[in-house]
Structures are given as C-alpha cells and as structure tokens.
Amino acid sequence: LVERAHAGVRALARRDDYRTLIARLSAQATSQLGPDAVVTVDPDGEPGLTAAAGSRRVDYRLTTLADQAIRRRGPTLAKLWSR
C-alpha cells in the first residue's frame, strides 16, 4: 500500500499542474510559519516541499503527506486496497 501510494504521489510531480500544487503548499506553509519562512521545493529530489522559520518546520513532501494519510486511515485503506 505504501509503495503504491508513494509511486502515485511521485507521478504527480510529472503532471502539468504540479507547479499549482507547489504554489498551494507554499502558501499553506507561509500561512503557518509566517512571511519569513524559507521554502525548499523538491528537497533531496522528493516531490513537494519543506519550510522552516526559526525552530518551526513543516514537511509537505508528498510522500510524507501520503504516509500521514495512510496512518490516519490505515485499516480502512488496507481493506479497500486489497479488494
């Protein structure tokens, strides 16, 4: 399940609207951390972004977001995915 989810979110980076997604994530990070946030797009080659302001950080790498969604919905997703 995790491998499939990671492959799926990595595929998003190849879509034409990926930059729109990055702009939205960047706006969210700046909203959370303030206008001085330093945003790094595609850190270490991973699609998505990370941002930091002082000691505060957000991780919006797409694989991280997928992992969080799987953890929240794990048992339900596992049942759906295995059908």
Side-chain angles (χ1 to χ4, degrees), residues 39-62:
V39 176
T40 303
V41 175
D42 297 340
D44 298 323
E46 284 289 323
L49 62 85
T50 57
S55 63
R56 299 181 311 141
R57 295 183 171 15
V58 294
D59 184 349
Y60 289 151
R61 290 174 295 163
L62 301 186

Side-chain angles (χ1 to χ4, degrees), residues 5-80:
H6 284 190
V9 296
R10 284 188 181 108
L12 291 174
R14 295 186 297 273
R15 291 178 47 124
D16 292 338
D17 56 353
Y18 178 64
R19 289 291 146 207
T20 301
L21 174 61
I22 289 299
R24 288 182 177 179
L25 291 173
S26 183
Q28 179 66 26
T30 302
S31 173
Q32 287 181 291
L33 300 176
D36 294 331
V38 176
V39 176
T40 303
V41 175
D42 297 340
D44 298 323
E46 284 289 323
L49 62 85
T50 57
S55 63
R56 299 181 311 141
R57 295 183 171 15
V58 294
D59 184 349
Y60 289 151
R61 290 174 295 163
L62 301 186
T63 53
T64 300
L65 297 174
D67 289 344
Q68 291 171 352
I70 290 168
R71 276 194 299 276
R72 282 193 307 270
R73 305 277 190 223
T76 303
L77 287 174
K79 288 178 188 174
L80 292 172

